[in-house]
Amino acid sequence: MQQPKYRRILIKLSGEQIKGTDGEVVSYDMLDFLAQEIGRVHRHGVEIAIVVGGGNIWRGHRAIERGMDAAQSHYMGMLATIINALAMQDALERHGLDTRAMTAIKMDEVAEPYIRRRATHHLEKGRVIILAAGTGNPYFTTDSAAALRAAEIHAEVILMAKNGVDGVYDDDPRRNPAATRFDHIHYLEAINRGLTVMDSTALTFCMDNNLPIIVFNALEPGTIERIVMGEHVGTLVSNQRGGARC
């Protein structure tokens, strides 16, 4: 039986993935789809952490533009990620997975506090952990939380889920049909080009800590499993020199 290439992964889901394409703030169909995809990977014995965004519920930059205090807006965004984490937890458990929701903001009635050793213990026990509330600090995105948590739990790779985009391109493929996808690209080139991988703080952190990132289309069935089993899918962002286009 083929063995997985990666034994411990962190999946970064945006609020857009939770929202799906049907216009609902939280899409039951999308949650069900994601739970099935994650369940397929879990059956290979892979240890899985998930970091969720909150953009389907709260768009902080819009409130800041209207004069809201930035820190206040960021905390509201953290609370939105907790709602998404609980929704994701419910979907996973309905598919038979043992889970733990953990949050960087203390909220004992609904989730465990994030403690690094406890998180790794859950992973070793085969539980899927859903990490919410970002880093627990304003001014840091959930991309930064994904990078930080991946380093803390010693994940081998970060899987950056995108909606309908199958990797990193030199331009927006939804606006420019001639845009070219990178097969792999170095962190620094992605930063210098301003490519849409993750925010620059998170990308620099991954570079400094040699954390590879795979950007893939979350809407394509079986993609996460194919990546975990070693198939090249999407775009690899790593310390390999020279971006290859396909």
Side-chain angles (χ1 to χ4, degrees):
M1 183 177 177
Q2 184 182 359
Q3 295 300 308
K5 178 178 180 179
Y6 303 108
R7 289 291 182 178
R8 180 175 291 179
I9 65 173
L10 186 142
I11 303 171
K12 169 59 170 61
L13 297 174
S14 70
E16 291 302 311
Q17 269 92 48
I18 304 296
K19 182 178 181 180
T21 58
D22 54 12
E24 293 180 287
V25 173
V26 175
S27 167
Y28 302 105
D29 289 341
M30 182 54 66
L31 287 170
D32 187 65
F33 169 76
L34 291 169
Q36 289 184 63
E37 293 295 291
I38 291 165
R40 292 172 64 172
V41 175
H42 190 263
R43 285 193 289 273
H44 292 286
V46 177
E47 298 173 358
I48 304 169
I50 303 168
V51 168
V52 292
N56 56 318
I57 298 171
W58 180 251
R59 287 289 185 183
H61 68 276
R62 294 177 184 170
I64 293 168
E65 288 170 358
R66 296 290 297 270
M68 178 179 281
D69 178 78
Q72 185 85 338
S73 177
H74 294 162
Y75 279 117
M76 292 176 68
M78 292 179 215
L79 296 178
T81 71
I82 297 171
I83 293 173
N84 285 338
L86 295 179
M88 190 77 251
Q89 180 181 37
D90 179 77
L92 291 167
E93 290 185 343
R94 282 189 283 108
H95 283 266
L97 279 73
D98 192 9
T99 72
R100 293 293 187 276
M102 308 185 81
T103 173
I105 295 176
K106 191 173 182 181
M107 197 172 288
D108 293 341
E109 287 77 12
V110 297
E112 295 182 10
Y114 172 78
I115 299 170
R116 183 182 65 84
R117 286 182 178 272
R118 184 180 292 178
T120 54
H121 175 74
H122 288 322
L123 291 170
E124 290 163 359
K125 291 292 185 181
R127 298 162 186 151
V128 177
I129 59 173
I130 307 107
L131 307 174
T135 66
N137 301 291
Y139 300 100
F140 291 93
T141 67
T142 50
D143 284 353
S144 291
L148 176 61
R149 298 302 185 227
E152 288 181 318
I153 66 173
H154 304 294
E156 297 169 87
V157 65
I158 298 174
L159 304 187
M160 287 289 296
K162 300 290 184 181
N163 267 9
V165 179
D166 61 350
V168 179
Y169 284 75
D170 59 1
D171 197 3
D172 187 343
R174 289 167 290 198
R175 298 178 182 175
N176 179 8
T180 305
R181 180 169 62 86
F182 290 93
D183 184 61
H184 73 265
I185 189 169
H186 191 276
Y187 307 102
L188 201 55
E189 184 175 358
I191 293 168
N192 290 338
R193 285 174 170 264
L195 300 177
T196 308
V197 179
M198 52 172 50
D199 74 70
S200 59
T201 300
L203 195 52
T204 301
F205 181 93
C206 289
M207 179 174 66
D208 291 344
N209 291 276
N210 197 26
L211 267 169
I213 306 158
I214 296 175
V215 181
F216 70 101
N217 181 5
L219 302 181
E220 185 178 339
T223 304
I224 302 175
E225 185 179 32
R226 289 164 57 202
I227 293 170
V228 165
M229 298 308 291
E231 185 177 337
H232 183 82
V233 176
T235 300
L236 171 65
V237 185
S238 72
N239 60 9
Q240 294 181 35
R241 286 290 174 185
R245 303 183 189 215
C246 55

